[in-house]
Amino acid sequence: MTAPTEAGGRPRRVLEIAIAVCFGFVFLLFGPSLNSLFYAAGVTMGGLMVVRYVSVLAGVMVSRPAGPSAPAPHEEPAYRQYLFGPAVRDLRAALIAAVIRYRRDVERIWGGIGPAADRGLTGLAVAIGLSTLLIVGVVVGVAVLAGVMLVHVAVVGALLGVGMAAVYALRAGEAGLAWIRGIRVACPSCYRRVSVPVYDCPHCGAAHRRALPGRYGVAHRVCRCGARIPVLAGRRRLAGRCPYCEMPMVRAAGTAPEVVVPVFGAPAAGKTRLLATLVLGLTTRPGLGVELDPDTAGRYERIRPALLLGEPTRATLAELPRAYSMYLRAGRAPRRLVHFFDAAGERYGRSDRLGELSYLRLSRSFVFVLDVLSIGGVWAGLAEADRERLAPYRAALAPEFVFAQLTTNVQGMGVPLGRARLAVAVSKVDLVPGAVAGLPPAGDQIGAWLEGPAGQGNLVRAMRLHFGQVRFFLTSSLVGPAGLGPGASMLVDWVLEQRGGGEPR
Amino acid sequence: MRPFDPYRNWRQVVFALVVAVVGVVFLVVLAAVWSAAHTG
């Protein structure tokens, strides 16, 4: 009769021979005594269990590992990090396989001893002796198997513990660093505060909505397509989208403190033009590193010709406008991302729509554009012909009304205006040069003029009452060959005084 | 071609660690048994 064989054709007697050799070797090693028989049985079965577990583990983890399960539809489109799921699966598979193999081994050995009992008294005595040894061996084997399993559990548990500690430490470190550097990320389209942008896989386009250290990876994650996506600082090199409105974020958002400067005023007060003027002033300023966001650069290039030729710019659409965003680096100061929000003036006519401008919550610097033509005293002082000529350029709403709307809403949002600063840009002064004759391009004299001859005392007092700091500027709607006018240039200086983190210097 | 397995490296690390720890513990226990057998 031939011995049964395993799949590979090896005789199955290998197990019995190995056990017999090991038993004999250990017995001889421990010396000829009754105790040595029990030691040999225990060591042999214990050793068998170690070898069995290692071979089972090799099968589960090295030679025939289970393939990765595809990410579930409700989960991120990435494979779980090994320690945060598959490791426990492997552990379970190895434990079950080891127990099954152990049971089979014991049954086989028992099957070899049983027939000896049928061969007379001598056989029965041998069978009883071997059974006793087997019982001792099985008990030791179970203990060894439990110990080996415990080692596996401990190794996986320790690595999991280290992994979790790393995840929380990295997350806390990133949040702490952002807090110290005053980095808060705002979406330039919907103006909400974004903690983590959505990153699309550069390979397959799958949207990774929480690309942070976590169960999908500590330093990087593997996308369902197999591509590696960084989840630490390297993720900011990828193009991000806003998780709320899905619009693109500014490139490399989160790498620099962000400064949000809303420019508000009545419709047709000249906000768009003032913004374009500010961008022009910043990009042409010597010694200042300016990096326009591609979207901002595109829009600025469309407005620039009208700005240089002194033609009217298109009225901003009433839907939420995308911010003008740019990175600024001035001297040794840290790089900042400045968002100028060009809020359509139509919003200020209705409180319910103003509430949509949630970015106001992030702002500590505000620019109020005050159309000089909308000042009753100035308008009344113009000749009839001038009034007819300038009527199309005049802002529709009274500045006091617009300002009251803003302060009511912003205070309702919980913004501490007492810690914020306000720049009042009196616009279109080139259209009525006589009205502002003798005034400097910036300074409190402009405030005094507004309070006195211009008849805006209530407005100026309200500004000083609400805001911690108020500065006044005269800005022109024209850009001369020499560049910006002095008032606009000083307004650019005022913007540059703002450091990151939302707090004025 | 080898099938895609994002866990290959980690599995090898865990396997090596388990084998190493089990090996060391087994040898230590064996030495303890040997010592006990020869002092008793």
Side-chain angles (χ1 to χ4, degrees), chain A residues 25 32 61 119 123 133 150 157 179 182 205 220 229 312 360 387 418 477:
Chain A
F25 179 74
M61 298 179 68
R119 292 176 195 160
L133 290 176
L150 209 65
W179 184 76
H220 70 269
I229 310 278
L360 296 174
R387 282 209 289 268
S477 60

Side-chain angles (χ1 to χ4, degrees), chain A residues 73-434:
Chain A
H74 62 276
E75 288 201 352
E76 288 275 273
Y79 291 104
R80 287 255 187 135
Q81 206 276 348
Y82 180 69
L83 298 172
F84 296 85
V88 178
R89 229 170 37 223
D90 283 352
L91 174 68
R92 202 163 155 258
L95 297 185
I96 291 170
V99 168
I100 290 170
R101 291 300 296 268
Y102 181 62
R103 217 178 109 189
R104 273 193 209 151
D105 287 345
V106 171
E107 280 170 0
R108 266 177 68 184
I109 297 166
W110 181 251
I113 295 171
D118 300 333
R119 292 176 195 160
L121 274 177
T122 320
L124 186 65
V126 170
I128 290 170
L130 287 176
S131 301
T132 312
L133 290 176
L134 181 63
I135 289 166
V136 172
V138 165
V139 170
V140 173
V142 167
V144 169
L145 185 61
V148 174
M149 287 173 170
L150 209 65
V151 167
H152 190 171
V153 171
V155 166
V156 170
L159 289 174
L160 184 62
V162 170
M164 283 176 80
V167 163
Y168 287 118
L170 286 168
R171 281 197 186 191
E174 191 179 305
L177 212 61
W179 184 76
I180 290 167
R181 293 179 64 200
I183 295 178
R184 289 184 299 179
V185 180
C187 168
S189 294
C190 71
Y191 316 143
R192 290 199 209 202
R193 201 171 154 185
V194 174
S195 54
V196 194
V198 178
Y199 294 103
D200 294 333
C201 170
H203 217 70
C204 69
H208 293 259
R209 305 192 82 84
R210 295 282 301 167
L212 288 173
R215 66 172 76 158
Y216 300 100
V218 178
H220 70 269
R221 55 168 62 183
V222 178
C223 180
R224 67 182 172 205
C225 71
R228 279 162 75 107
I229 310 278
V231 295
L232 294 175
R235 71 172 186 263
R236 300 199 180 97
R237 285 195 299 269
L238 304 172
R241 284 186 294 119
C242 171
Y244 304 107
C245 70
E246 305 289 332
M247 294 298 284
M249 298 289 288
V250 173
R251 197 179 44 76
T255 57
E258 299 196 6
V259 178
V260 174
V261 183
V263 178
F264 67 105
K271 296 181 298 299
T272 305
R273 179 170 288 273
L274 182 76
L275 265 167
T277 309
L278 285 174
V279 175
L280 179 74
L282 289 165
T283 49
T284 54
R285 176 154 299 212
L288 183 67
V290 181
E291 219 181 299
L292 293 183
D293 178 53
D295 179 85
T296 299
R299 280 182 299 145
Y300 170 61
E301 282 307 317
R302 285 197 294 276
I303 291 179
R304 198 160 163 259
L307 183 74
L308 295 173
L309 294 170
E311 291 171 355
T313 48
R314 265 186 331 139
T316 311
L317 299 172
E319 67 256 25
L320 282 177
R322 190 173 163 90
Y324 284 71
S325 307
M326 66 205 72
Y327 285 99
L328 296 183
R329 187 191 287 277
R332 287 185 181 177
R335 185 163 152 269
R336 287 163 292 171
L337 173 59
V338 180
H339 298 287
F340 290 107
F341 287 103
D342 177 5
E346 287 74 4
R347 259 163 216 286
Y348 301 108
R350 290 176 55 189
S351 288
D352 56 330
R353 299 204 71 184
L354 188 57
E356 290 171 27
L357 305 178
S358 53
Y359 66 87
L360 296 174
R361 251 185 240 122
L362 304 171
S363 314
R364 295 294 177 270
S365 292
F366 294 77
V367 176
F368 181 58
V369 184
L370 198 166
D371 178 7
V372 73
L373 300 176
S374 67
I375 298 172
V378 173
W379 187 250
L382 294 176
E384 186 59 38
D386 284 340
R387 282 209 289 268
E388 261 178 46
R389 180 175 58 87
L390 295 173
Y393 303 108
R394 192 180 181 215
L397 293 170
E400 217 175 318
F401 170 74
V402 175
F403 186 79
Q405 286 279 328
L406 176 93
T407 49
T408 307
N409 281 282
V410 173
Q411 281 178 325
M413 290 174 184
V415 178
L417 284 184
R419 298 215 313 257
R421 59 189 197 142
L422 176 73
V424 181
V426 181
S427 63
K428 306 177 190 171
V429 291
D430 54 305
L431 299 178
V432 284

Side-chain angles (χ1 to χ4, degrees), chain B:
Chain B
M1 204 176 101
R2 205 187 175 97
F4 173 64
D5 181 8
Y7 309 132
R8 194 156 60 93
N9 293 347
W10 270 107
R11 280 180 162 141
Q12 285 171 351
V13 166
V14 172
F15 177 71
L17 278 173
V18 171
V19 170
V21 176
V22 165
V24 169
V25 171
F26 185 71
L27 289 177
V28 168
V29 170
L30 203 60
V33 172
W34 169 266
S35 163
H38 284 83
T39 51

